[in-house]
Amino acid sequence: MKDLQQWAEEDTFGDLLKRRGVSRREFLSFCGKMAALIGAGGVFAGSRTAWAQELAGRLEGARRPSVVYLQLQECTGCLESLLRSASTPVEELILEQISLDYNELLMAPSGEAAEQALATAQGKPHLLLVNGSVPLKDGGVYCTIGGRSARDVLERAAANATAVVAIGACAEYGCVQAAAPNPTGAVGVADVIRDRPVVNVSGCPPIAETISATLTYYLAYGRTPPLDGLGRPLFAYGQRIHDKCPRRASFDAGQFAERFDDQNARLGHCLYRLGCKGPATFAPCATIEWNDGLSFPIKAGHPCLGCTERHFYDRMTPFYRRLPGIVVPGIGVEATANTIGVAAVAASVAAVAVHSAATVIAKHRARRAEPESLPLAVLGDRKEADEKDKD
Amino acid sequence: MKIFDIPEDEIRIELGDPAPFDGGKRRELMLAAALGAPVGTRDPVDLALLSAASRKEDLRHFEQTAFTPLEPRLARSIARVRRVGTEEEELIARGEVDAILYLCRADEATRFRAELQAEMRMTRGYRALGIAKAKPEPKGNESWTFMGYIPIRATRHKSTHSEEPADFNYVTVWDWQLRVLHWLSVFLILVLSLTGLLMGSSRFIYGVTQGYSNYLSWLRLTHFVAGWFLLCAAILRIAGLFLASNRFQRWYALFPVKKRDLNNLVQVVQNYLFCRFERPPHYIGHNPLQQIAYTAIFGVGLAALFTGFALYALYAPDHWLLRYFVWFDDLFGVQYLRLAHQLIMWIFLAFIPIHVYLSIRADTVEREGALSSIVSGGRWCRKGTKFEDG
C-alpha cells in the first residue's frame, strides 16, 4: 500500500504537498520567502516576484531526490541548527523528506540496517550533504564509522553523488579541530573530493535558512546555486555583515562600546572595538538573522566572531580584541601594534638624538685633533727660525 | 714647519676670546694688541689683530711714535703710541705671557692666576699673546700694568677649501616630477597615518557620544581617497623607473649591488657609526646605504598599499580592480592583514625622524646637499671632487 505521507519516486513535490494538505497560500509564501532570501545577496537580476513564481513552478515539478547526509568529525551543531529551521510546513516537509535515506542522527535504522541503507543509497545517483571534517592523520583513526575511516566513508558516498554540499565550517575546512596545531590532521570535504566543485554552506553553524535555501534551490533547479571564490553560495555569502549591520550608524559616527558594561554598550553602540569581526565577515546574519529572524549576535550585543570565514579560530582570534597581539620572542610578552609602534618611534627619535650628540662630539674631537699652531712671529718664534738659518 | 715658506693666502689666523685682567675690557685689550704692532707690518697675526680691532675702533685716531722690535732674549716688543691731537703717550708691550708678567713685576697671585688660566685655556693649539701698558717714564723705570692675553692660532689651509661659488658646479639631480611625487607622498603618508591612527586606536579616537554624526565616515573617506592618490603616485613612480631619462631615477639606481658600491657601503656604515673618520666616497645621487634604505621604504610603501587595498577590497569583492586584491585576504587572514597594515604605518612613522635627521645632517655636516636637492632639484658639487656615480 502506498504510504500517502511519503514522497514517492514517481511523485512531484506538488503532488506531495497536495496529499499532505499544504495550502497553495502556504506554499507560495514559502517561495516568496526563499526568493527574498536568495535574492537578498543581489545574485539574481530582475523582479523578486517573478522569481518567486518561477521558483514555485519549478519546485512543484521537483522529483524526489535521494539524499545521503553524512556526519563525520563534528559536534552535531549544524544539524541542530537545521532542525530548528522548520518554521513553515513546506520547509518541514523538505527537511523531512530529503533526510530520509541516510543520516546518523535522524534515521530510524541502526547498526547493520543503517549500513545497508547507506550502501543502497550511495549506489544510486543522490545528493550528498556532509557535516564535519575528515581527519587524515594516522590513517584517519580519529573518526571511524562502522569500522571505516571518515575519508573512506566520504569517498564511497561521493562516488555516485550528483552534487556535494559541505554544511558548516568543519566540512568546509576543518573549523576548530583544524586550528593549529591540528592534531588529527582535519581537512574539509573539498580537500578530499577534488574532482568536482563542493558547495560550502559556511558558518559554525550556518543559519538554518541558508541550508534550506540551498536545498530548495537544488530541488527547484537540479543544480547548485552560484558560488563565490571560496565555494560558498553567493546569495548568502555575497553580503558583508558590516554593510547591513544595525549598529553601522554608530560605527560611522565613531561611537564605540569600550567594555561590555559601559554606557556606550548600553546605548547599543558599535562593537568593533570589542573585537567584532563583522567588517571582515561575509554572511547573511544581519539580513536573515537567527531562530526565525529573532536576533543575531551583534543585535544581541555580542561581537561577531567571523565564523563563516576560513580558519576563523586561528585568524579571527583574539575574539574580543580588535587586532591580534604580537608575541615578543624570547620574552613572551604580548604587545599591541600601537605599543610596538610608539616604542619604535621613540627608539628612532632617541637614536637620532644619540647620533647627533655623537656627531657633535666627533666634530669637536676632530677639531681638537687639529695640529698645533704654526710658529708665531709676535711671540718671538722668528728668532728660532733666524738662528736656524744662521746655523 | 716653516711658517715663512707658506704662501700667505694659505695661513689662517684664528683669534680666541680675549681675556682681560683687572677688570679691563676686551675691546681695550684688542685695541692695545693692535696698536702694539709695528707700522706697515706684513705679519699675518698683526694683520689679524689690526683687522679685529678696526671693527670696533677707528685706528686712524692713533699714531705710533716709536717701536722697539721684538728682542730675542726678552721675547717682547714695545710700541709707543699716542692719540692723534694729544700729547699724552702710552707704551704697549706684547709678547709671551711669562715675559710680559716679568716685565710688569706682577705679584705672585696675578702671575699664578694668569699663567694657570692661560695654560688651561690654551687648548687646540692656541697660544697666548700677553699685553701690558705703561706711562712712559725716563730711564726706563716705567710701571707696567698687565692687561691680559689673547689666544692666537695659526694653521695652514689648502685653498681648495674655499667657499667661492666659482669652485662649484651646480648639478641637477632630481626632475621636478620626482620632487612633486616625493612631497605629495609625504603629505599623503602623513594624512594616511593620522586618519589611520584616529580610526584604529582607542587612545586617539573620539566620536560623538550623543546623537549621530559621520565622524568616522569622514575619516574613512579621507583615508581611502588619500590611499587612491598614493596608489596613483606609486604607479607614476614605478612608471618613472622605466621611463625617466634621468639616470638617478631609473630602476637600476634603486639597486646598488655593484662590487664597488658594496665596498663603499661598508665605508659609509663605518662613517655613520663613527668607526671611520675619513670621508666616505662621494655620490651625487644617493650613497649605497641611503639607496638601500630608500629602496626598502619603497617596498614598505608598496606593502602598505597592498595590505590597504586588500582590506578595502572587503567592501566590494567583485570590484573590477579590487577583486585582484581579495585573494590576499584569504592568504593570512584579515586580522593579520590589519595588524601588518598598522605596523607598516609605524615603520613609516619611525622612518621619518631618521630620514629627516640624516637629510639635514647630509646638508649641514657632510655638505652633500641631499635636503636641498629634493627641494630645488639640484646641488652644488665642488670641482675636482671624485664622485662614484659622477
Side-chain angles (χ1 to χ4, degrees):
Chain A
M1 190 190 136
K2 192 175 172 186
D3 182 358
L4 293 178
Q5 296 294 306
Q6 294 298 324
W7 189 357
E9 290 285 346
E10 65 276 14
D11 278 350
T12 63
F13 192 57
D15 297 337
L16 178 70
L17 288 172
K18 273 183 207 133
R19 269 213 314 280
R20 293 284 293 258
V22 176
S23 72
R24 179 80 183 153
R25 185 181 198 84
E26 277 173 325
F27 177 62
L28 285 181
S29 72
F30 168 79
C31 290
K33 180 181 163 189
M34 284 297 140
L37 202 154
I38 294 176
V43 177
F44 304 102
S47 139
R48 301 264 165 86
T49 321
W51 200 69
Q53 281 162 359
E54 188 196 331
L55 185 69
R58 282 174 173 276
L59 206 53
E60 268 183 322
R63 296 284 170 177
R64 176 181 177 276
S66 169
V67 174
V68 171
Y69 197 144
L70 292 180
Q71 289 181 277
L72 305 175
Q73 195 184 24
E74 54 122 15
C75 71
T76 328
C78 296
L79 200 58
E80 293 286 345
S81 171
L82 184 59
L83 293 177
R84 269 147 195 75
S85 81
S87 52
T88 65
V90 186
E91 218 161 10
E92 200 180 328
L93 263 186
I94 290 178
L95 294 176
E96 259 179 36
Q97 302 302 327
I98 62 162
S99 56
L100 200 70
D101 287 342
Y102 180 84
N103 175 268
E104 284 92 341
L105 188 70
L106 300 179
M107 71 196 300
S110 64
E112 258 324 295
E115 292 303 300
Q116 195 56 48
L118 178 59
T120 317
Q122 71 193 11
K124 296 176 287 180
H126 61 281
L127 171 67
L128 177 62
L129 308 184
V130 187
N131 269 177
S133 59
V134 183
L136 296 181
K137 215 180 247 181
D138 303 328
V141 297
Y142 299 106
C143 178
T144 57
I145 299 164
R148 284 208 297 269
S149 72
R151 178 183 196 155
D152 195 19
V153 171
L154 176 62
E155 278 174 348
R156 279 165 191 260
N160 290 321
T162 49
V164 183
V165 181
I167 292 173
C170 295
E172 187 191 355
Y173 59 88
C175 196
V176 177
Q177 59 271 30
N182 194 357
T184 63
V187 297
V189 172
D191 296 311
V192 177
I193 310 298
R194 293 176 168 281
D195 54 346
R196 75 200 87 165
V198 173
V199 180
N200 291 316
V201 181
S202 193
C204 185
I207 305 175
E209 279 83 349
T210 319
I211 306 173
S212 51
T214 309
L215 298 182
T216 307
Y217 190 97
Y218 181 79
L219 272 185
Y221 286 86
R223 56 183 153 87
T224 54
L227 306 177
D228 73 358
L230 296 174
R232 306 180 296 191
L234 257 180
F235 69 81
Y237 299 94
Q239 45 193 323
R240 192 163 59 142
I241 291 182
H242 188 54
D243 293 332
K244 298 182 176 177
C245 181
R247 297 182 188 236
R248 179 61 189 259
S250 51
F251 175 86
D252 286 341
Q255 301 163 321
F256 295 100
E258 301 280 346
R259 294 195 316 276
F260 282 105
D261 57 350
D262 69 359
Q263 180 64 18
N264 283 358
R266 281 184 210 111
L267 287 169
H269 286 169
C270 178
L271 302 166
Y272 182 52
R273 296 256 286 290
L274 285 169
C276 181
K277 305 299 185 296
T281 305
F282 290 80
C285 293
T287 41
I288 301 175
E289 305 193 355
W290 288 73
N291 301 328
D292 287 338
L294 182 68
S295 183
F296 75 109
I298 295 173
K299 194 171 170 185
H302 188 279
C304 171
L305 303 185
C307 73
T308 59
E309 296 303 310
R310 289 212 164 187
H311 305 290
F312 80 102
Y313 230 76
D314 287 330
R315 292 175 177 177
M316 294 296 189
T317 44
F319 288 139
Y320 300 103
R321 287 237 302 260
R322 195 182 62 81
L323 280 181
I326 302 154
V327 177
V328 181
I331 316 171
V333 179
E334 210 184 50
T336 66
N338 283 349
T339 315
I340 288 174
V342 170
V345 172
S348 85
V349 171
V352 164
V354 168
H355 198 270
S356 50
T359 305
V360 170
I361 292 170
K363 283 268 153 189
H364 189 71
R365 288 176 58 168
R367 221 182 303 141
R368 281 185 67 151
E370 278 179 26
E372 288 284 303
S373 174
L374 296 166
L376 297 174
V378 288
L379 296 179
D381 293 337
R382 187 189 294 274
K383 186 208 97 186
E384 290 169 26
D386 287 345
E387 275 178 354
K388 275 177 192 163
D389 286 348
K390 277 176 204 166
D391 296 342
Chain B
M1 205 196 304
K2 285 184 179 175
I3 189 171
F4 316 105
D5 300 337
I6 300 170
E8 266 177 35
D9 59 348
E10 287 188 18
I11 296 176
R12 189 166 78 178
I13 304 292
E14 289 157 286
L15 300 180
D17 193 17
F21 267 63
D22 288 334
K25 289 186 177 146
R26 290 173 186 193
R27 181 174 170 163
E28 287 170 6
L29 186 61
M30 285 303 289
L31 179 65
L35 294 177
V39 174
T41 180
R42 297 303 313 155
D43 186 275
V45 176
D46 285 340
L47 292 175
L49 288 169
L50 284 165
S51 136
S54 64
R55 261 179 246 144
K56 304 277 186 185
E57 302 268 356
D58 191 348
L59 296 178
R60 285 171 300 180
H61 292 162
F62 300 91
E63 61 182 354
Q64 206 173 59
T65 51
F67 184 76
T68 315
L70 188 124
E71 203 179 314
R73 256 178 305 120
L74 298 177
R76 59 174 158 78
S77 63
I78 296 174
R80 184 186 277 248
V81 196
R82 74 168 180 209
R83 188 174 268 273
V84 174
T86 58
E87 284 303 308
E88 205 174 328
E89 292 187 326
E90 204 174 37
L91 294 173
I92 293 171
R94 304 187 312 171
E96 289 275 11
V97 172
D98 288 356
I100 298 298
L101 285 169
Y102 176 74
L103 180 71
C104 299
R105 294 186 173 75
D107 57 80
E108 196 69 22
T110 314
R111 282 173 75 146
F112 183 73
R113 194 156 60 90
E115 281 173 16
L116 183 71
Q117 211 187 78
E119 199 174 316
M120 285 184 69
R121 287 192 49 191
M122 293 306 109
T123 55
R124 291 156 46 190
Y126 278 93
R127 292 173 67 190
L129 175 69
I131 293 147
K133 66 177 178 182
K135 295 281 169 215
E137 298 281 343
K139 297 176 198 166
N141 48 6
E142 301 91 350
S143 95
W144 290 89
T145 319
F146 183 67
M147 292 181 74
Y149 62 89
I150 297 174
I152 296 173
R153 179 170 73 166
T155 46
R156 180 175 186 171
H157 282 266
K158 295 261 167 60
S159 59
T160 47
H161 278 69
S162 90
E163 302 292 331
E164 296 295 320
D167 293 334
F168 290 86
N169 286 328
Y170 190 76
V171 180
T172 310
V173 190
W174 310 116
D175 297 346
W176 67 265
Q177 295 92 332
L178 180 116
R179 283 177 280 139
V180 168
L181 283 181
H182 174 266
W183 291 109
L184 179 70
S185 306
V186 170
F187 173 73
L188 291 174
I189 287 169
L190 289 179
V191 167
L192 286 163
S193 302
L194 183 71
T195 51
L197 268 177
L198 286 172
M199 290 189 303
S201 165
S202 50
R203 283 197 197 84
F204 299 108
I205 197 163
Y206 291 102
V208 289
T209 47
Q210 293 294 324
Y212 287 99
S213 77
N214 278 327
Y215 169 78
L216 196 64
S217 299
W218 282 113
L219 282 182
R220 280 155 53 81
L221 179 70
T222 316
H223 196 79
F224 297 149
V225 170
W228 279 110
F229 274 113
L230 193 66
L231 181 68
C232 297
I235 290 170
L236 287 175
R237 183 67 184 94
I238 290 168
L241 287 176
F242 302 99
L243 301 178
S245 54
N246 185 331
R247 66 196 163 87
F248 298 114
Q249 292 167 213
R250 285 184 73 86
W251 63 271
Y252 45 74
L254 289 186
F255 305 102
V257 288
K258 273 182 261 165
K259 198 160 182 240
R260 192 180 65 175
D261 290 324
L262 294 176
N263 286 336
N264 293 343
L265 174 68
V266 176
Q267 293 188 31
V268 174
V269 171
Q270 284 175 334
N271 183 263
Y272 274 131
L273 293 178
F274 305 105
C275 303
R276 181 191 185 91
F277 288 99
E278 305 101 87
R279 291 293 299 268
H282 297 272
Y283 281 82
I284 295 177
H286 296 142
N287 71 42
L289 184 64
Q290 257 180 318
Q291 191 54 64
I292 287 172
Y294 297 161
T295 308
I297 210 75
F298 274 144
V300 172
L302 285 179
L305 277 171
F306 212 80
T307 51
F309 274 92
L311 289 171
Y312 185 60
L314 289 173
Y315 131 82
D318 293 330
H319 186 271
W320 62 271
L321 176 65
L322 297 179
R323 70 196 315 160
Y324 298 107
F325 290 99
V326 173
W327 66 269
F328 208 65
D329 289 321
D330 301 325
L331 205 57
F332 303 110
V334 175
Q335 289 304 101
Y336 285 95
L337 215 57
R338 278 189 218 287
L339 182 68
H341 194 63
Q342 192 160 335
L343 286 175
I344 285 169
M345 174 199 72
W346 286 111
I347 293 178
F348 269 115
L349 293 187
F351 169 81
I352 288 172
I354 298 174
H355 178 56
V356 171
Y357 164 70
L358 288 179
S359 308
I360 293 175
R361 191 178 186 276
D363 246 32
T364 55
V365 180
E366 298 159 21
R367 323 204 76 171
E368 293 286 4
L371 186 60
S372 22
S373 67
I374 198 61
V375 178
S376 66
R379 52 169 294 200
W380 293 96
C381 296
R382 188 184 293 280
K383 286 177 186 167
T385 309
K386 183 177 169 288
F387 287 101
E388 299 288 312
D389 53 353

